[in-house]
Amino acid sequence: AANWDALGVGATNLKLFVYGSIFAKGSAGPVNNGLAAGSVKSIQPSFTQFSNQPIILKDSFQINGSDMAQIGWVEVATEDGTSGYLWYLKSESETRLRFDDYLEMSMVEGELANGAGGVSFAAQAANVQGFGGGINAYGSQGLFAAIQARGNVMAGFSAGTGLSDFDQVLKNLDTQGAIEENMLFLNRSLDLDFDDMLGQISGGGVGGTAYGLFENSEDMALNLGFSGFRRGSYDFYKTSWKYLNDASTRGGVAVSGIEGVLIPAGTSTVYDQQLGTNIRRPFLHVRYRASQTEDRRYKNWITGSAGGAYTTNLDAMQVNWLSERCLVTQAANNFVLFQN
């Protein structure tokens, strides 16, 4: 520290770039002066371990035996492609669709207790049936929370300054993993900002449009909805994410803040502690609790004493769903969250 002070640099917050070493002929290896004489100095690499908590999701549908015996047909056309005339199964189908939505939304919106979302562990424990365990023992880190905690966040992107703002994103990605191919999932507003940004890049054609950007085709230039582009050494493929536009989810007026997300494409190699080996996994994937005797990815069973089930004395048919899963946001430092 005294030597650095003599140079006028100072020892506070000093950063060194080590690129090699030099020793005299016939000299010994590196020696740690703080240890016994002749002790070899060893550099021990460190690593950071990440883990996520799988959560158990449940839902059920119940109809009593008396109502099952009173037939009434209902014509339906559901999101999963089911169409035609259904009876009480219409409500069962809608319950199942809602459960499927929960499975996806919990992976996107999940928060750790006392984690990035600021959810009080005590409050969460008081309102969840069967809740227990120590601090940070429950909850699950979803996509948005993982990027906010370990990734990159950009606020205030606009078409007017979009290119310079986007270049800042690229420069930051250069310092991280520099994944060449990336996916952009955007809401409608940010999707149009990207189209405006790309449409203003060059002015070599009629009306400021360079047809070279559209395979030199004037007809293609009229299509202003860009689906992919390349900037620097990166390829980007963008799409409008319905979840961020739907008024019943993130597209609602009362829900704001997140406009889009950049997700690296491809896979990376990580060490799986449970398997005890290196595995290749997508940067974003879902893990499930499972064994040779129990697979909890998506369980569905019927109980009761109606509708063909004879398991209990309940005069009803109960359809049950269960899943135990968590989202793995691998290498979150390569993800970018766009906020307004």
Side-chain angles (χ1 to χ4, degrees):
N3 292 335
W4 287 109
D5 287 336
L7 294 175
V9 178
T12 304
N13 296 325
L14 185 65
K15 295 183 179 179
L16 299 178
F17 181 52
V18 181
Y19 56 89
S21 59
I22 182 171
F23 289 88
K25 293 181 179 180
S27 62
V31 176
N32 191 335
N33 294 328
L35 300 177
S39 298
V40 177
K41 182 178 180 180
S42 176
I43 298 177
Q44 300 295 332
S46 60
F47 70 95
T48 302
Q49 181 178 354
F50 296 102
S51 62
N52 200 7
Q53 176 79 22
I55 56 175
I56 302 174
L57 298 102
K58 297 180 180 180
D59 208 341
S60 63
F61 164 77
Q62 181 174 306
I63 182 172
N64 63 62
S66 179
D67 288 342
M68 291 180 66
Q70 184 175 353
I71 300 177
W73 299 104
V74 179
E75 186 176 8
V76 298
T78 61
E79 294 180 359
D80 63 347
T82 303
S83 61
Y85 289 89
L86 294 179
W87 182 14
Y88 58 84
L89 292 178
K90 176 182 184 297
S91 297
E92 185 274 341
S93 174
E94 292 176 348
T95 305
R96 175 170 49 83
L97 289 175
R98 182 184 62 204
F99 179 69
D100 292 343
D101 288 342
Y102 286 168
L103 296 183
E104 296 184 7
M105 291 180 64
S106 60
M107 298 297 98
V108 173
E109 300 282 0
E111 297 280 358
L112 291 173
N114 283 355
V119 181
S120 168
F121 180 84
Q124 191 172 358
N127 289 282
V128 178
Q129 181 180 357
F131 203 88
I135 298 297
N136 291 333
Y138 284 85
S140 185
Q141 191 178 58
L143 174 62
F144 295 153
I147 301 177
Q148 289 173 339
R150 299 184 282 116
N152 308 284
V153 178
M154 180 177 187
F157 184 93
S158 64
T161 58
L163 189 59
S164 60
D165 289 345
F166 194 70
D167 285 345
Q168 294 301 317
V169 174
L170 302 188
K171 293 176 182 178
N172 187 70
L173 292 178
D174 286 339
T175 65
Q176 306 301 321
I179 310 301
E180 183 178 2
E181 293 187 342
N182 300 270
M183 304 296 297
L184 289 166
F185 297 92
L186 313 172
N187 69 358
R188 181 61 62 196
S189 176
L190 190 57
D191 189 20
L192 294 176
D193 282 343
F194 267 84
D195 284 349
D196 293 342
M197 176 193 74
L198 296 172
Q200 298 170 4
I201 287 179
S202 179
V206 178
T209 300
Y211 297 146
L213 299 174
F214 311 93
E215 299 180 2
N216 292 320
S217 171
E218 181 178 357
D219 294 332
M220 290 185 64
L222 297 177
N223 180 10
L224 300 180
F226 297 87
S227 59
F229 61 96
R230 183 176 182 86
R231 179 69 173 170
S233 58
Y234 298 94
D235 290 319
F236 299 95
Y237 308 95
K238 73 178 183 67
T239 184
S240 180
W241 191 4
K242 182 181 178 182
Y243 180 72
L244 297 180
N245 295 320
D246 197 319
S248 62
T249 55
R250 280 280 178 175
V253 177
V255 181
S256 61
I258 297 177
E259 294 186 309
V261 59
L262 182 150
I263 299 176
T267 61
S268 64
T269 301
V270 295
Y271 179 79
D272 190 288
Q273 189 175 19
Q274 293 181 346
L275 298 178
T277 183
N278 290 332
I279 58 175
R280 293 192 65 84
R281 288 290 184 269
F283 288 97
L284 194 65
H285 62 279
V286 178
R287 297 292 295 271
Y288 312 93
R289 183 89 72 182
S291 67
Q292 294 181 344
T293 58
E294 176 73 5
D295 188 346
R296 299 170 69 81
R297 176 173 180 170
Y298 194 104
K299 295 185 64 175
N300 179 220
W301 69 97
I302 299 176
T303 58
S305 63
Y310 306 100
T311 59
T312 68
N313 61 357
L314 178 67
D315 183 19
M317 180 187 74
Q318 188 174 39
V319 185
N320 304 276
W321 295 271
L322 180 147
S323 180
E324 188 169 3
R325 59 179 63 195
C326 69
L327 184 73
V328 178
T329 308
Q330 197 165 286
N333 58 313
N334 295 289
F335 289 66
V336 179
L337 190 67
F338 294 95
Q339 294 182 335
N340 54 19

